[in-house]
Amino acid sequence: MPLKKQMSMKEIFNQCQNSMQGHGQLIKSLQELYSQTEFAAFWSEFNLLMKYSMLVFTREPAVERTIDFITKFITSIEPEEPPRDSVNSTLDNISENNLLMEVLTFLLQVHSAKDKAIRFRCCQMINKLLSNLGEQAQIDDDLYDKIYGSMLERLRDKMPVVRFHAVMALARLQDPRDDNCPVIKAYLFLINADTSPDVRRAVLSCIAPSTKTLPAILSRTRDVSDTVRKMAYLVMGEKIHIKALSIAQRIQLLQDGLTDTADSVKDACTAKLLQAWLRMLEGNALDLLSSLDVETSTETCELALYALFKPSPLRELVDKLDLLSDDVLIPFDKLTCESAMYWQTLCKYIHSKGTEGEEELEKVLPNCLKLCEHISSFVDSLKAIDDLEDQVEKEFILKQLLLLVNFMELADNASRKAIEKLFHDILMADHIGHHLVKYLVPCLCEFRSSPDAVITYFAETISEIREPITMVEMGMDEEAKRQNDLKIASLRVKLNQAKEELEEHVRNQDFSKAADLKAIISELDAEKSILLNAAESKHEEVRTEKTDVATILKCQTIVAEMLEKLTLKSINPSLQMLIESLLLPGIQSEDSRLRTVAQRGLGLCCLINQDLVLQHLPLFMQASKIDEEEVRATALSVMFDVLHMHGMDVIKTSDSEADDSSEAMDTSSEAPSSPGTTEEQTKNTDNQNHASNLVAFLSGFLDSESSKLRTIAAEGQAKLMLSGRVVSPKILSHLILLWYNPLTEDDTHLRHCLGTFFPVYAFACRSNQEKVEEAFMPTLKILLNAPLSSPLAEVSVENVAELFIQLTSTKLLLHNQNQTVDANPSHANVALAICNEILSNPDSFSLKLWVKILNQLELGTEDLISNKETFVLIQRVTEVIKDKQCLKSVEKFQEYLRRLLPKEFLAEIEDQTKKNMKTEETGEITDVIADITAASTNQTVLNETQLGMADTSSFFQEPKPIRRTIARSDASLSKTPTGPPNKKKVTKSTGKKSKSQLQIAAADDSDLENNVFASPTPTRASVRAATKGVDDAENKKISSPTPQ
């Protein structure tokens, strides 16, 4: 049988590109060739063939297979002689692998080559070589320091893919126990500042969790890239124990992950993080709730439970609930905050399934009458609790029990009466605070047929709460009691005398007189009894009014919750009585809680009756300025709701009312009317002034130091603009500046609200886009002119400009999204405005910004007049610009305009330009434009107005690093990278022969190395030294994500 011909190294390299399945056999063949060939000759050919793969930058499958084959082969070579010391066997395997040492030395020499493909493949191969080493692998100090220094330098490479693999290569060289580890320091910098999401994701996957790196890992759960956020949750679930996190951190993680806009992040949070925590707690969902503090984070805990319930069938969830007794109730000894919430959430989840979960719901939901008895007994047990913390805990449990009523069928009259009696008794109970009122009032409202009946019922209930019936002891005063005692004593003396005489007459047998005395004695006894009864104290039923804060607060809360539940068109006498007796006195109370609830209730009444707005609007304005933050927030919300409901018509008043409102709003005096104006016109002008003053007053809260007031003001202004109640480019500009302001970075609700508002508002109609267009230039000028001390100086003006360009695109309007649009008037007007701005100051430092914005605009072919005007202005711009780079960008935009304009106009404008070469004034150029277009007599000029509103451990899974040892005296290890052998000018070679497979051709080894592998490249920092400011801005943008 003929022997199989041994393949050459070139043939092996060609075949390894076809499939990963044959790599094992090919590695064995190459090992045989390695053992039969001298090392110098083998290395020479191996190095040449390896270089061809390193020349290709694109991720070709054939090249990737070749790189994998090379790294697997190098790490598979075993030393010729077995190691003498078993302790250092791994070390001997690595150090005696001459090929591995030569490859690492070569890679470390050429890692700074000019070609990006070389740098990429060097980092990739070093990463794969270190990853293929065993867990107990050891390398000496010299090689460690070389790899360490080279990869740290590659972390500053300008190519993201190079930085990515450099990050991966350094993963096993970090030491989390060293507080000054340079690798971890570099990781912390990249994870916050690198512009590439792939690099940040790579750092997350490699960085060792510790108390030092944990804050950086947590911050990436709010990264702008969803892939980075997903990786952050995967790392949190796989490497970090739940006990390493504080309760606040756990809640924030779940809240952000379960409400993320990307489904992949939600899945990672649910399937990885939440399940990992559950495994750490041995699958006990109640322990998981205990670690999250259900009392203060109810919504987040409910989201977490829903995420746990979703993958499991209903029957399995019901079977796991082992807390219920035979009566389908949780006994008091097992009734905790966690168990009560788990029970209530499970019932809610099953109830949401509709008919699918009816059978299972009966197994976890008790009978209505039994539940009422259970809740009543629990309410009675609260009377003996004095500790405030225990009282809060019991009230939370009671809230969960009350929520169970929402899932019951109340069709039968007995259940309805039982629920009504229970809720009424809870409202009347003195030891139940106002926190539970909002869970009682809506259910009681449903038991009444009409709103008037509901108001009457609650008015009577409030009267009983404020003036309960009490038994009062009625006694006699001291003087009357003394006189009564004297009379009783006198009667006793008379009785004694009468009894003696009676005995004497009986002895003498004088029965007639004895009978008379007996009648007298009976009368005296009766009189004595009357006097004795008069001396005793009597109890009478008397109504006494309660004035304590807790009682009044509960009554006010009942009124507020009732008004929020009902839909009323007018205020009836009962409600008017409640306003006068509860709400108005509450506004004047010293307790801020009473003022807050009273403001809320009165605001709800103002939504019903417009006359109340005119009466109490100055009161709300005053409260929003000088009261405590909670009261101010409530008053501010009321004013926005009133304007949203009634519009600016609420300001229309009679003359006297207008004067009173004007004084209350502290506005300027009225301007004198001209002789030609009528009384009605003057009144309309006054009403407009009052409305403008009110809107300006509310806009002032956008600059409030209080985050809560600022958020309410921004949300309110957004609602008013979206509904068309307010139309103001200034306010729109103010909202955009507020959205980008770094000070509002932690205001999640504010950022989310405004981020949703801008596209909805701008794309609703063309008139809204015009307002966005008017806010364009003033907003950018504010940012450009912001002082360095202002937070607005950190905002990327280019990012803001990109937002405006997107918001003003006509093709994104709702009625244009499904059709082709050839007109974009907003962009045309913006182009005119930018040209005017450049001509007014051609040497401005913001010239590059204006030119860049011009090239981002999308002009339409139908905007012919505006395009003509812009073209003429652009010609003038090309004459005044001196910067070559900006001039090239302007010429590019000019060519873009040429393609949109008709040839006749271009020829005519060129002739006119030659005739007017000496014309410098903008006015004369405008006349030329008007003559050519013959379509408009006035030049389109964008009115640019400046804004005038405001100044601008054991819980961490540690990696398995490569151990460092003392350097060995090996010739191959003593080599240090000496840099490139020469610096000849070379031509770039791709090294790629085909898309499907890398074919290796014969080439001169020295030419390949001299031409490609010897040219150093500067690091990313030195390449961009001239634009360091731009890099810093981009880094800050990634470090503190701005709205996109």
Side-chain angles (χ1 to χ4, degrees):
M1 183 176 180
L3 296 175
K4 185 177 180 180
K5 182 181 177 181
Q6 186 176 12
M7 291 187 297
S8 64
M9 189 182 301
K10 181 178 179 181
E11 293 174 344
I12 293 175
F13 268 73
N14 279 328
Q15 289 189 18
C16 74
Q17 304 173 53
N18 296 326
S19 173
M20 299 283 291
Q21 297 177 355
H23 279 191
Q25 186 63 36
L26 293 175
I27 289 175
K28 291 181 180 180
S29 300
L30 193 56
Q31 286 175 347
E32 294 178 0
L33 186 62
Y34 175 77
S35 61
Q36 298 173 5
T37 311
E38 292 184 2
F39 179 77
F42 183 88
W43 167 243
S44 177
E45 185 178 2
F46 185 86
N47 187 22
L48 175 63
L49 297 175
M50 182 179 66
K51 289 178 182 178
Y52 283 99
S53 300
M54 298 178 64
L55 291 171
V56 184
F57 182 74
T58 56
R59 304 297 293 267
E60 295 283 348
V63 179
E64 296 301 318
R65 296 189 194 106
T66 305
I67 295 294
D68 287 337
F69 172 77
I70 292 172
T71 54
K72 289 178 182 178
F73 166 72
I74 293 173
T75 54
S76 67
I77 295 179
E78 298 180 355
E80 297 179 359
E81 298 181 0
R84 300 177 182 177
D85 188 2
S86 61
V87 177
N88 294 328
S89 61
T90 308
L91 172 62
D92 291 336
N93 287 339
I94 294 176
S95 61
E96 295 183 8
N97 189 341
N98 295 331
L99 183 60
L100 175 60
M101 295 297 103
E102 286 293 338
V103 171
L104 288 175
T105 302
F106 168 73
L107 294 176
L108 295 176
Q109 287 177 344
V110 300
H111 77 88
S112 59
K114 183 178 181 180
D115 193 339
K116 61 183 179 181
I118 305 294
R119 304 196 304 275
F120 161 48
R121 296 301 177 181
C122 282
C123 295
Q124 183 187 29
M125 292 184 68
I126 292 176
N127 170 34
K128 289 181 177 294
L129 288 172
L130 295 180
S131 299
N132 290 339
L133 296 178
E135 294 183 356
Q136 302 298 326
Q138 302 178 26
I139 60 176
D140 59 59
D141 286 340
D142 288 344
L143 183 58
Y144 180 95
D145 292 337
K146 292 175 184 178
I147 299 175
Y148 181 79
S150 301
M151 293 300 101
L152 282 180
E153 184 179 351
R154 287 303 100 215
L155 290 180
R156 295 183 287 116
D157 197 279
K158 62 182 180 181
M159 298 304 298
V161 67
V162 178
R163 301 198 300 273
F164 175 88
H165 285 282
V167 167
M168 303 295 290
L170 285 171
R172 299 189 68 180
L173 302 183
Q174 60 181 324
D175 185 5
R177 288 178 288 271
D178 184 6
D179 293 337
N180 297 319
C181 177
V183 176
I184 292 182
K185 288 184 178 180
Y187 277 175
L188 292 177
F189 173 78
L190 291 175
I191 202 174
N192 291 316
D194 200 285
T195 57
S196 173
D198 293 333
V199 177
R200 301 197 300 275
R201 180 166 51 85
V203 175
L204 277 173
S205 64
C206 296
I207 193 169
S210 65
T211 54
K212 182 178 180 180
T213 60
L214 181 59
I217 297 175
L218 285 172
S219 66
R220 289 307 98 197
T221 59
R222 304 178 69 182
D223 195 276
V224 294
S225 172
D226 55 348
T227 58
V228 179
R229 298 198 301 273
K230 177 183 177 181
M231 178 57 68
Y233 279 101
L234 294 178
V235 171
M236 294 296 300
E238 295 173 357
K239 298 183 179 180
I240 300 177
H241 198 281
I242 186 174
K243 293 183 179 179
L245 304 170
S246 65
I247 293 179
Q249 290 172 336
R250 300 168 195 166
I251 295 172
Q252 189 66 44
L253 275 173
L254 291 179
Q255 178 66 27
D256 293 341
L258 296 175
T259 58
D260 198 281
T261 55
D263 293 336
S264 60
V265 180
K266 291 181 183 178
D267 296 339
C269 180
T270 302
K272 296 296 182 181
L273 180 66
L274 202 55
Q275 293 295 335
W277 286 359
L278 199 60
R279 287 193 301 270
M280 295 172 189
L281 299 173
E282 299 179 353
N284 194 329
L286 296 183
D287 291 343
L288 178 62
L289 292 178
S290 299
S291 64
L292 297 178
D293 190 10
V294 296
E295 299 173 37
T296 58
S297 57
T298 307
E299 295 181 0
T300 304
C301 293
E302 186 173 328
L303 288 175
L305 288 177
Y306 264 65
L308 294 176
F309 293 159
K310 192 173 182 180
S312 304
L314 297 181
R315 183 179 299 276
E316 182 180 345
L317 295 175
V318 173
D319 295 340
K320 286 183 179 180
L321 186 62
D322 55 354
L323 300 172
L324 302 178
S325 62
D326 295 337
D327 295 333
V328 200
L329 296 169
I330 299 180
F332 288 162
D333 57 341
K334 296 182 180 180
L335 195 58
T336 62
C337 293
E338 292 76 20
S339 62
M341 182 179 183
Y342 185 87
W343 184 26
Q344 184 270 138
T345 307
L346 179 60
C347 293
K348 183 178 180 180
Y349 176 76
I350 298 176
H351 184 266
S352 65
K353 297 296 181 179
T355 56
E356 179 185 350
E358 287 182 356
E359 182 179 353
E360 305 301 332
L361 185 61
E362 294 178 358
K363 298 179 181 179
V364 295
L365 200 60
N367 179 271
C368 183
L369 298 179
K370 292 183 179 179
L371 180 62
C372 291
E373 294 177 2
H374 192 67
I375 296 176
S376 180
S377 301
F378 186 80
V379 171
D380 293 338
S381 66
L382 300 181
K383 296 179 180 179
I385 298 177
D386 297 328
D387 185 66
L388 180 60
E389 185 175 351
D390 291 342
Q391 185 177 0
V392 173
E393 181 180 343
K394 297 298 182 183
E395 284 188 355
F396 179 83
I397 296 174
L398 179 58
K399 181 184 76 172
Q400 301 301 316
L401 295 177
L402 293 175
L403 290 174
L404 292 175
V405 176
N406 298 327
F407 316 129
M408 292 186 169
E409 294 291 340
L410 302 179
D412 58 304
N413 195 29
S415 299
R416 292 171 62 88
K417 287 186 176 180
I419 293 295
E420 183 177 359
K421 183 179 183 304
L422 173 66
F423 282 16
H424 181 81
D425 293 342
I426 295 176
L427 278 180
M428 297 297 300
D430 294 336
H431 59 285
I432 300 299
H434 68 283
H435 302 288
L436 297 174
V437 170
K438 63 179 180 180
Y439 304 103
L440 304 172
V441 171
C443 187
L444 290 172
C445 289
E446 295 178 357
F447 293 154
R448 300 293 182 277
S449 58
S450 65
D452 291 339
V454 173
I455 295 175
T456 303
Y457 166 75
F458 281 114
E460 295 174 354
T461 303
I462 290 172
S463 178
E464 293 178 7
I465 295 174
R466 292 195 66 183
E467 297 180 358
I469 298 176
T470 56
M471 301 298 296
V472 180
E473 183 177 354
M474 305 296 292
M476 302 173 62
D477 57 8
E478 294 296 330
E479 181 62 26
K481 187 176 181 180
R482 189 177 66 83
Q483 294 294 334
N484 192 65
D485 292 340
L486 291 176
K487 292 180 180 179
I488 294 174
S490 176
L491 289 174
R492 286 176 179 173
V493 171
K494 293 180 179 179
L495 280 171
N496 291 333
Q497 292 177 353
K499 288 179 180 179
E500 290 177 357
E501 293 179 0
L502 177 62
E503 291 176 356
E504 184 177 354
H505 287 299
V506 170
R507 282 195 302 267
N508 296 330
Q509 295 184 353
D510 189 356
F511 296 108
S512 60
K513 291 183 178 181
D516 295 337
L517 286 173
K518 190 174 182 180
I520 293 173
I521 291 174
S522 299
E523 294 176 358
L524 292 174
D525 284 334
E527 188 177 354
K528 178 184 176 183
S529 298
I530 293 173
L531 292 175
L532 289 174
N533 291 333
E536 294 179 358
S537 59
K538 297 181 180 179
H539 294 80
E540 296 183 0
E541 294 183 353
V542 179
R543 289 187 177 273
T544 57
E545 183 178 1
K546 289 185 176 182
T547 58
D548 59 291
V549 174
T551 301
I552 298 177
L553 187 60
K554 180 191 285 189
C555 296
Q556 288 181 346
T557 307
I558 292 174
V559 175
E561 295 296 334
M562 176 192 68
L563 291 173
E564 190 167 336
K565 177 67 178 177
L566 298 178
T567 302
L568 301 175
K569 296 183 179 180
S570 62
I571 295 180
N572 60 13
S574 298
L575 183 55
Q576 182 66 35
M577 181 268 297
L578 292 175
I579 295 174
E580 295 175 356
S581 61
L582 269 179
L583 301 182
L584 293 180
I587 291 178
Q588 303 173 2
S589 173
E590 297 180 356
D591 193 282
S592 61
R593 295 175 298 171
L594 295 180
R595 296 199 301 274
T596 301
V597 181
Q599 293 268 8
R600 179 188 170 207
L602 189 58
L604 291 169
C605 293
C606 290
L607 297 179
I608 302 172
N609 192 332
Q610 187 171 339
D611 294 336
L612 291 177
V613 179
L614 303 175
Q615 184 178 355
H616 300 296
L617 182 60
L619 179 64
F620 293 130
M621 299 179 69
Q622 184 180 10
S624 64
K625 293 293 291 184
I626 62 176
D627 214 317
E628 296 184 7
E629 182 180 24
E630 191 66 28
V631 183
R632 296 175 64 191
T634 304
L636 188 60
S637 300
V638 166
M639 287 189 286
F640 278 114
D641 290 342
V642 166
L643 289 180
H644 192 265
M645 173 66 72
H646 301 297
M648 293 305 166
D649 294 340
V650 76
I651 307 299
K652 293 181 179 180
T653 61
S654 61
D655 293 340
S656 60
E657 290 172 337
D659 293 338
D660 295 339
S661 299
S662 178
E663 292 178 4
M665 289 187 288
D666 192 19
T667 59
S668 59
S669 59
E670 300 178 1
S673 58
S674 59
T677 59
T678 63
E679 182 179 355
E680 184 178 355
Q681 292 175 341
T682 304
K683 184 177 180 180
N684 292 334
T685 303
D686 293 341
N687 292 334
Q688 292 177 0
N689 291 336
H690 291 313
S692 300
N693 290 330
L694 180 59
V695 173
F697 174 83
L698 297 175
S699 300
F701 289 94
L702 293 174
D703 298 319
S704 174
E705 296 180 359
S706 171
S707 173
K708 190 171 187 177
L709 295 177
R710 191 168 57 236
T711 302
I712 293 174
E715 185 177 359
Q717 293 287 8
K719 289 180 179 179
L720 291 178
M721 295 190 68
L722 198 58
S723 62
R725 300 293 192 185
V726 173
V727 180
S728 173
K730 292 184 178 180
I731 295 179
L732 182 62
S733 175
H734 206 157
L735 292 177
I736 292 177
L737 293 174
L738 186 65
W739 192 41
Y740 277 97
N741 196 321
L743 296 180
T744 64
E745 182 178 357
D746 295 330
D747 297 343
T748 308
H749 181 73
L750 172 65
R751 288 287 182 99
H752 179 73
C753 173
L754 293 180
T756 305
F757 161 72
F758 291 133
V760 172
Y761 176 78
F763 302 149
C765 59
R766 177 73 186 100
S767 60
N768 289 353
Q769 275 195 343
E770 292 177 355
K771 302 306 174 185
V772 178
E773 172 193 328
E774 292 179 28
F776 181 84
M777 292 299 293
T779 305
L780 295 190
K781 288 184 178 180
I782 287 178
L783 292 174
L784 293 173
N785 298 327
L788 294 178
S789 58
S790 172
L792 295 178
E794 303 177 13
V795 178
S796 172
V797 185
E798 294 182 4
N799 194 356
V800 179
E802 290 175 2
L803 173 68
F804 272 107
I805 292 172
Q806 182 182 11
L807 295 180
T808 54
S809 178
T810 307
K811 65 181 181 181
L812 294 179
L813 289 172
L814 292 180
H815 60 273
N816 291 337
Q817 290 182 357
N818 296 326
Q819 56 187 358
T820 303
V821 180
D822 295 329
N824 201 350
S826 292
H827 282 199
N829 294 335
V830 170
L832 285 171
I834 293 177
C835 291
N836 288 328
E837 181 65 25
I838 294 176
L839 291 174
S840 65
N841 190 4
D843 298 325
S844 172
F845 69 93
S846 57
L847 178 61
K848 291 183 178 180
L849 172 67
W850 301 127
V851 174
K852 184 175 182 180
I853 295 174
L854 279 177
N855 284 281
Q856 293 177 350
L857 297 176
E858 298 180 3
L859 303 180
T861 55
E862 294 184 3
D863 303 319
L864 186 59
I865 297 177
S866 299
N867 291 344
K868 290 179 180 179
E869 295 173 353
T870 304
F871 183 80
V872 177
L873 291 178
I874 280 293
Q875 282 191 319
R876 178 60 177 159
V877 168
T878 56
E879 298 174 2
V880 299
I881 289 182
K882 300 177 182 179
D883 187 273
K884 293 183 179 180
Q885 184 178 1
C886 293
L887 181 59
K888 185 180 295 185
S889 299
V890 172
E891 291 174 349
K892 179 181 178 182
F893 180 71
Q894 189 177 24
E895 290 299 321
Y896 172 66
L897 277 174
R898 287 181 182 274
R899 293 193 296 268
L900 299 177
L901 294 173
K903 296 181 180 180
E904 297 80 5
F905 172 80
L906 294 175
E908 190 173 357
I909 197 65
E910 288 179 2
D911 295 339
Q912 292 291 341
T913 303
K914 292 179 182 178
K915 297 178 182 179
N916 295 279
M917 289 295 293
K918 298 181 180 181
T919 303
E920 297 293 338
E921 290 78 5
T922 307
E924 297 182 14
I925 295 179
T926 306
D927 294 337
V928 174
I929 300 170
D931 293 338
I932 295 173
T933 58
S936 175
T937 57
N938 297 319
Q939 181 184 5
T940 302
V941 180
L942 179 64
N943 183 21
E944 302 171 5
T945 56
Q946 296 292 336
L947 291 177
M949 293 175 291
D951 296 335
T952 52
S953 77
S954 59
F955 298 139
F956 301 103
Q957 178 180 336
E958 297 183 359
K960 298 179 179 179
I962 301 175
R963 289 181 291 176
R964 300 174 58 181
T965 59
I966 300 175
R968 297 169 61 90
S969 57
D970 193 300
S972 63
L973 297 181
S974 62
K975 298 179 182 179
T976 58
T978 58
N982 56 50
K983 297 184 179 179
K984 295 191 297 182
K985 185 176 181 181
V986 299
T987 56
K988 188 174 180 181
S989 173
T990 61
K992 185 171 64 173
K993 296 299 181 181
S994 66
K995 294 183 178 180
S996 60
Q997 184 178 12
L998 177 67
Q999 298 293 337
I1000 301 176
D1004 182 60
D1005 190 6
S1006 61
D1007 291 343
L1008 184 64
E1009 181 161 349
N1010 291 339
N1011 291 343
V1012 181
F1013 289 87
S1015 301
T1017 181
T1019 61
R1020 183 171 54 144
S1022 58
V1023 167
R1024 294 189 178 179
T1027 57
K1028 184 176 183 299
V1030 178
D1031 275 343
D1032 294 340
E1034 292 177 357
N1035 292 339
K1036 289 179 181 177
K1037 174 182 173 183
I1038 296 300
S1039 178
S1040 302
T1042 57
Q1044 296 296 329

